[in-house]
Amino acid sequence: MAGASCSRGALTRGREWDKLGALTLRKGRDMRDKRTLIVAGAAVVVVAALAAAFALGAFRSDADRARDVATELLESYVVPEPDEDGNEPGDGGWPAADFGDAATMEALVRYGVDADAWHRHCFGNFSFEVGEASTDGDSASVSLTVTNASLSSAVSAAGADFAAYAETSEAQDAYAAGGRAALFSYLVERVYAHLDANESPVTTTVSLPLTRGEDGGWVPSVSGNAEFFSALYGGSDV
């Protein structure tokens, strides 16, 4: 009987150990599952952070950043296209901060020329490609290839149109009604017509210099850059 009692006790203890073992196994599995979830969650956070960093350009090189600035600059010379309702996109760069023709524009405005209209015609056929960039400390240079209607050719063609127009009675009537301003208006309209027709597109490759600003970003150097603006206007001095 004593032997039987001991056997039953051992069997009971064995079952208890089995239960404890099973419980420990389940706990271990639960902990592993939780660790897996934690690791997976951390991985998702890391991937999201990396994606955000890439989207913000955190891993872009100095040369890439210089190309980005050059692209943004040239996009500000692209005339925005209105939608079917006549509304222009509000996120475009137009108008550019510097068209390089302040003195010319001052004279044209005195004759009633609208600056925005003038620049829209001048850049109505403008397109560009941004090439390679090189950096050297706080200086950078980006190769640009721009194509546009030649302003100088359009002005020359308009001058020929005006010479023929000036001999007509229509020109005499226009002068009698509006003076020199009326004749100048005709000349400007002919410039617009030749620009819009894109009769003499010119492609030019030019280097855009940039310098590093106080915030560490690149700043294009275009003020007074005759070569840059000549390229923008189809090889024309402005």
Side-chain angles (χ1 to χ4, degrees):
M1 295 292 293
S5 177
C6 287
S7 298
R8 286 195 297 272
L11 180 61
T12 300
R13 287 194 296 275
R15 289 172 177 171
E16 291 175 350
W17 283 112
D18 289 341
K19 291 179 180 179
L20 288 174
L23 179 61
T24 302
L25 181 61
R26 287 197 299 272
K27 292 293 185 180
R29 288 173 178 170
D30 291 343
M31 292 177 67
R32 284 196 299 273
D33 290 342
K34 289 180 180 178
R35 283 198 298 271
T36 300
L37 290 174
I38 292 172
V39 171
V44 170
V45 172
V46 170
V47 170
L50 286 173
F54 275 110
L56 293 173
F59 298 102
R60 295 181 67 77
S61 68
D62 254 0
D64 288 336
R65 292 175 185 273
R67 293 182 76 253
D68 290 343
V69 171
T71 300
E72 184 177 358
L73 171 66
L74 292 187
E75 285 178 345
S76 69
Y77 293 98
V78 176
V79 180
E81 294 187 8
D83 58 23
E84 57 185 14
D85 295 324
N87 300 314
E88 295 182 351
D91 57 352
W94 181 271
D98 187 355
F99 284 98
D101 62 349
T104 299
M105 206 66 250
E106 182 179 354
L108 291 175
V109 168
R110 288 200 297 269
Y111 283 96
V113 176
D114 179 75
D116 185 65
W118 175 266
H119 291 135
R120 284 175 182 269
H121 286 284
C122 284
F123 289 92
N125 293 293
F126 175 77
S127 63
F128 67 89
E129 293 181 6
V130 176
E132 296 298 318
S134 60
T135 62
D136 182 13
D138 290 336
S139 299
S141 178
V142 181
S143 176
L144 309 175
T145 300
V146 299
T147 301
N148 200 6
S150 170
L151 175 59
S152 58
S153 295
V155 171
S156 295
D161 294 342
F162 181 80
Y165 172 74
E167 301 298 325
T168 66
S169 59
E170 182 181 356
Q172 300 301 321
D173 293 342
Y175 181 76
R180 293 174 60 190
L183 297 180
F184 195 81
S185 177
Y186 172 86
L187 177 62
V188 171
E189 288 300 323
R190 294 311 303 160
V191 173
Y192 289 168
H194 288 289
L195 285 172
D196 295 347
N198 198 24
E199 297 164 335
S200 306
V202 176
T203 298
T204 308
T205 298
V206 64
S207 292
L208 173 68
L210 303 96
T211 56
R212 197 181 301 278
E214 294 182 357
D215 61 353
W218 291 112
V219 180
S221 301
V222 299
S223 180
N225 190 332
E227 183 181 14
F228 172 75
F229 285 111
S230 175
L232 261 58
Y233 288 89
S236 307
D237 294 332
V238 293

